[in-house]
Amino acid sequence: DMGLADNLTYLVMEFIEGHSLEQLLASGPLPVADAVAYTRGIASALEAAWRQHVVHRDIKPSNVLVTTTGVVKLVDMGLAKSLAPGGQSVEQLTAAGVAVGTINYMSPEQLSAAPELDTRTDIYALGATLYELLQGQPPFLGSMHEVIRAHLMSERPRPANASGSPQLQDLVTDMMAIDPAQRPQTPTELIARLDAVMAPAVIPQEAFADTIGAAETYLSDLGIDDALLPDHSPVSTTHPLPDIPVGT
């Protein structure tokens, strides 16, 4: 809220109790599950901005807050740019031909001061942020000129700490593709891919056949009809099988 009261201009902003991702990174890389979950929260905020034709242009760990209840908040719209439905700029808050943003997270087109940016530049910055959440450091290190050159020309790094999920590694490199056409094209598409990464694996029946057999034997010994048993459909790893007593 904002307004004028007693000849004083006031601005009311939300008080967010929590920590920035930058503060959380002070202790080192985040667990993979947390990094992906936080990234999905940011992607949801970007989806809302995209639907309003707004590009944030400064996605980075210090601009993302996590509340004490785990809610992700994207803040600091100081460099945000409003776009018309057709992608044309509605308002120019910065001078033409001037690159604005934070070097470690800026897309190649943003570093090149391209006149027309869209949501894919935010997706790039979010990819760089996700890399840092996983590795504890930005994707490219060095002097300012070395970092800029790397964003513009270098091979995209794969986060080693996510080696257990090639799907997640592929997503990070896709988000940071030099060519915007090679990135997820919208936050909605990005969210779908993040959800696929977060989805629990499904254990095939053969992986727990011995446990099922032991359960059937145990229940049979108790005189319980096998027909009363549930079917042996694959189960999610998020619902582990209970301990089943075996033997006498």
Side-chain angles (χ1 to χ4, degrees), residues 74-95:
L74 179 60
V75 300
D76 193 352
M77 304 293 288
L79 294 181
K81 184 176 183 179
S82 179
L83 303 175
Q88 298 300 312
S89 176
V90 172
E91 55 181 339
Q92 282 284 6
L93 300 181
T94 54

Side-chain angles (χ1 to χ4, degrees), residues 167-183:
Q167 186 180 14
L168 177 56
Q169 290 182 314
D170 290 343
L171 178 56
V172 173
T173 55
D174 287 351
M175 292 170 71
M176 292 185 61
I178 294 176
D179 181 358
Q182 300 302 314
R183 302 172 202 157

Side-chain angles (χ1 to χ4, degrees), residues 55-60 77-81 92-114 117 121-122 125:
V55 183
H56 188 283
R57 298 199 297 179
D58 201 19
I59 305 296
K60 58 185 178 181
M77 304 293 288
L79 294 181
K81 184 176 183 179
Q92 282 284 6
L93 300 181
T94 54
V98 176
V100 294
T102 304
I103 297 297
N104 283 332
Y105 313 96
M106 291 171 69
S107 67
E109 64 270 24
Q110 191 173 4
L111 285 166
S112 302
L117 300 177
T121 201
D122 284 342

Side-chain angles (χ1 to χ4, degrees), residues 11 30 64 97 109 114 129 143 180 192:
L11 174 65
L30 275 56
V64 179
E109 64 270 24
T129 296
S143 67

Side-chain angles (χ1 to χ4, degrees), residues 109-190:
E109 64 270 24
Q110 191 173 4
L111 285 166
S112 302
E116 298 301 336
L117 300 177
D118 57 34
T119 191
R120 294 173 297 180
T121 201
D122 284 342
I123 289 174
Y124 183 99
L126 182 51
T129 296
L130 174 54
Y131 181 95
E132 184 167 351
L133 297 181
L134 293 167
Q135 293 300 116
Q137 64 183 32
F140 302 115
L141 301 174
S143 67
M144 181 180 70
H145 294 294
E146 289 170 336
V147 171
I148 291 175
R149 180 180 177 84
H151 278 292
L152 293 174
M153 303 179 62
S154 293
E155 181 179 354
R156 308 294 94 171
R158 293 174 68 83
N161 288 347
S163 59
S165 175
Q167 186 180 14
L168 177 56
Q169 290 182 314
D170 290 343
L171 178 56
V172 173
T173 55
D174 287 351
M175 292 170 71
M176 292 185 61
I178 294 176
D179 181 358
Q182 300 302 314
R183 302 172 202 157
Q185 296 298 285
T186 67
T188 304
E189 179 184 338
L190 173 58

Side-chain angles (χ1 to χ4, degrees), residues 2 23 38 82 137 157 186 201 219:
M2 61 182 298
Q23 291 171 314
Y38 292 150
S82 179
Q137 64 183 32
T186 67
L219 293 176

